[in-house]
Amino acid sequence: MTAGVKTIVALSVCLAAGFLLSILSCALYGNWWPLVVVFTYAVAPLPNAVFGRFVSSDPLADVSSAVADFGRFVTAILVVSGLGLPV
């Protein structure tokens, strides 16, 4: 396997282990509120997927789309709230 494939496999195993541990921590202690973090991480890439169409196809262009920036902003809010919710 190439280095890129090994990296993707390793990251997917870590992600699956993280989801498994989150679900197990909810099930073992009977407190299902921490599962909101899993939902937040599952929803986090959606703004980039939706608003990513408004990005210029030219990578050297200096033009920035306000809609694409808003999508990145909402994604960042979801990721940071996913980190901050368990605290």
Side-chain angles (χ1 to χ4, degrees), residues 15-35:
L15 182 70
F19 281 140
L20 175 70
L21 291 176
S22 293
I23 293 171
L24 280 177
S25 69
C26 293
L28 292 176
Y29 295 108
N31 182 10
W32 292 95
W33 283 107
L35 203 59

Side-chain angles (χ1 to χ4, degrees), residues 32-51:
W32 292 95
W33 283 107
L35 203 59
V36 174
V37 175
V38 174
F39 175 72
T40 304
Y41 283 132
V43 173
L46 289 179
N48 273 345
V50 172
F51 296 119

Side-chain angles (χ1 to χ4, degrees), residues 34-77:
L35 203 59
V36 174
V37 175
V38 174
F39 175 72
T40 304
Y41 283 132
V43 173
L46 289 179
N48 273 345
V50 172
F51 296 119
R53 296 183 298 150
F54 299 105
V55 177
S56 173
S57 61
D58 184 14
L60 299 176
D62 251 356
V63 179
S64 177
S65 171
V67 177
D69 287 341
F70 178 72
R72 291 185 193 114
F73 179 72
V74 172
T75 300
I77 286 175

Side-chain angles (χ1 to χ4, degrees), residues 1-19:
M1 284 197 297
T2 63
V5 174
K6 287 182 183 179
T7 304
I8 291 174
V9 169
L11 288 174
S12 65
V13 166
C14 289
L15 182 70
F19 281 140

